[in-house]
Amino acid sequence: MIIQLQPSIPASDKAVIIEMVRSFDYKCTEVKTKDNCYLIGIGKKEFDIRLLGQMKGISDIHRVSDDYKLVSRKWKVKRTHIDLGDGVMIGNGTLAIMAGPCSIENELQVQQTIDHLVGNGVRIMRGGVFKPRSSPYAFRGLGVEGLKMWHTLARKAGIKIISEVMQVSQISEMYDYVDVFQVGARNTQNFNLLDELGKVDKAVMIKRGISGTIEELLYSAEYVFSAGNERLILCERGIRTYERASRNTMDLNAIPILKEKTHLPVIADPSHGIGIREYVEPIALAAVMAGADGLIYETHQKPEEAASDGQQTLDFEESARLIKRLGKVFDLRENF
Ligand code: PEP
Ligand code: MN
């Protein structure tokens, strides 16, 4: 059960409601986000919901049968969209495109990428400065200094930044320089990190775990929401299966399923999803047809020389072609 409280509810009225919820043998958790206040009631007993509905300070009550509550679509019919400012939106009925290198490498690379994005109408740039690498000897990112350099150049061009945060201590280091915190596939169930991201007022995009189920991804989002941050985006990035012909198995099934289960925007990452440069485009287009609210993919001026993930990275020509085709497929989907 989700009880939406009036944002200005006096503490005394809230205490009376909490008392009432507990009297039905329900566990009651208070969730306060930047703009809203909720009580989450967990329990089994049947009771007449009108008993609560009449109480002072309640704006709405919803029964939610899913085990995750706040991210469920059962209570929020209107989909959530994320406003990054300056007219950049995710999940508002347009197709959000986020593109950029796997890793931020140097100033020239960043400027060339920004020029490419601006030239093609893309407003959000991706890039890692803290890189989770399978081998400790691989390039592990430029760190916060690289992020600051990137931020200075991106702001001049009106470009928003999404970048991966790997641990709690990096949240405050990165805070001033990112628009969206990305939680990587290796951290989807890092519950301490998710709790702490619940305390910030910036958007968070959570990638599906490498071996994570769709439900586990929704629970991860529930962690962040219930800790106070409702500016959430989900990302399907492929899962590990027995198949070895591609880096991961892009689970396109997850896109319509997530869209049905949650009100949050759903993004597809075809680069990590298939891991093979030549096939990124068809998988990206298929993800749009499957209902994705946006795409995140890797592009680099010279993929062969990229510091990481070059094998799945598009060059700027391929990226420009993809952007055009994404637009066409999106129009087709919307007018189907
Ligand atoms: C990335 O976006 O470069 C990345 C490391 O992604 P994932 O967490 O999906 O592997
Ligand atoms: Mn990558």
Side-chain angles (χ1 to χ4, degrees):
M1 175 174 66
I2 298 178
I3 303 172
Q4 281 176 278
L5 299 175
Q6 287 162 6
S8 57
I9 183 171
S12 53
D13 287 354
K14 191 162 39 184
V16 176
I17 299 168
I18 293 174
E19 200 47 47
M20 181 74 148
V21 174
R22 290 191 175 140
S23 75
F24 299 124
D25 281 338
Y26 273 55
K27 182 172 183 284
C28 189
T29 306
E30 186 179 344
V31 171
K32 209 165 166 26
T33 66
K34 190 163 162 275
D35 300 314
N36 298 300
C37 192
Y38 309 89
L39 294 177
I40 312 302
I42 308 284
K44 290 203 164 58
K45 211 161 146 180
E46 289 294 326
F47 66 90
D48 187 350
I49 207 162
R50 284 171 300 185
L51 288 171
L52 281 170
Q54 297 150 358
M55 295 179 81
K56 237 172 52 197
I58 293 182
S59 54
D60 219 339
I61 304 186
H62 318 263
R63 284 196 195 278
V64 180
S65 52
D66 294 329
D67 288 333
Y68 42 85
K69 307 285 178 197
L70 290 158
V71 303
S72 169
R73 207 168 154 232
K74 294 225 165 94
W75 73 278
K76 195 166 177 239
V77 181
K78 204 162 159 252
R79 293 189 182 279
T80 293
H81 68 271
I82 311 294
D83 187 349
L84 298 181
D86 305 316
V88 184
M89 305 266 197
I90 299 173
N92 66 330
T94 60
L95 189 70
I97 300 181
M98 315 179 210
C102 180
S103 302
I104 296 299
E105 295 163 11
N106 55 58
E107 214 168 311
L108 179 65
Q109 172 222 29
V110 170
Q111 192 55 56
Q112 287 177 331
T113 309
I114 288 174
D115 293 344
H116 164 65
L117 299 182
V118 170
N120 287 278
V122 175
R123 303 285 309 277
I124 309 171
M125 178 166 161
R126 63 144 288 144
V129 294
F130 297 110
K131 294 304 303 176
R133 303 304 302 277
S134 300
S135 162
Y137 308 115
F139 176 63
R140 291 165 76 177
L142 293 184
V144 149
E145 289 315 309
L147 180 60
K148 288 183 185 169
M149 172 272 289
W150 174 18
H151 179 261
T152 305
L153 298 176
R155 278 295 177 266
K156 277 190 204 146
I159 293 282
K160 303 290 177 188
I161 288 179
I162 175 167
S163 195
E164 177 166 354
V165 57
M166 283 177 58
Q167 58 185 36
V168 170
S169 63
Q170 289 163 357
I171 297 175
S172 57
E173 282 185 87
M174 295 173 74
Y175 182 84
D176 287 334
Y177 311 103
V178 294
D179 300 288
V180 184
F181 283 105
Q182 174 176 319
V183 175
R186 292 154 193 80
N187 260 322
T188 311
Q189 290 192 311
N190 179 341
F191 300 119
N192 290 331
L193 182 63
L194 298 175
D195 269 339
E196 291 303 311
L197 287 167
K199 297 179 189 159
V200 302
D201 58 1
K202 292 217 174 177
V204 175
M205 185 181 86
I206 309 176
K207 287 194 161 194
R208 179 166 174 192
I210 292 176
S211 301
T213 63
I214 292 171
E215 191 177 47
E216 284 164 343
L217 175 60
L218 290 163
Y219 273 123
S220 297
E222 187 82 11
Y223 259 88
V224 182
F225 199 141
S226 63
N229 185 356
E230 45 188 302
R231 303 186 70 209
L232 285 167
I233 303 155
L234 303 180
C235 178
E236 166 58 43
R237 49 78 74 200
I239 47 174
R240 180 161 292 179
T241 66
Y242 50 80
E243 183 54 67
R244 303 263 55 94
S246 53
R247 181 180 179 184
N248 291 300
T249 297
M250 183 65 175
D251 183 10
L252 290 175
N253 298 356
I255 295 169
I257 292 174
L258 283 168
K259 296 279 300 179
E260 191 257 319
K261 289 189 180 299
T262 179
H263 53 84
L264 299 174
V266 178
I267 301 295
D269 176 348
S271 306
H272 295 86
I274 189 153
I276 302 165
R277 180 173 168 182
E278 290 83 337
Y279 306 140
V280 168
E281 178 178 304
I283 296 303
L285 300 177
V288 174
M289 274 319 266
D293 296 296
L295 268 293
I296 184 164
Y297 67 87
E298 293 178 336
T299 184
H300 188 283
Q301 72 279 19
K302 282 204 184 102
E304 308 71 24
E305 292 173 16
S308 54
D309 281 354
Q311 81 292 344
Q312 63 190 33
T313 297
L314 305 184
D315 65 23
F316 292 159
E317 206 178 303
E318 291 162 335
S319 169
R321 191 180 64 198
L322 175 60
I323 293 163
K324 279 200 191 73
R325 292 186 173 170
L326 285 171
K328 283 191 192 163
V329 171
F330 179 71
D331 288 343
L332 178 67
R333 178 183 100 192
E334 293 301 286
N335 299 302
F336 211 54

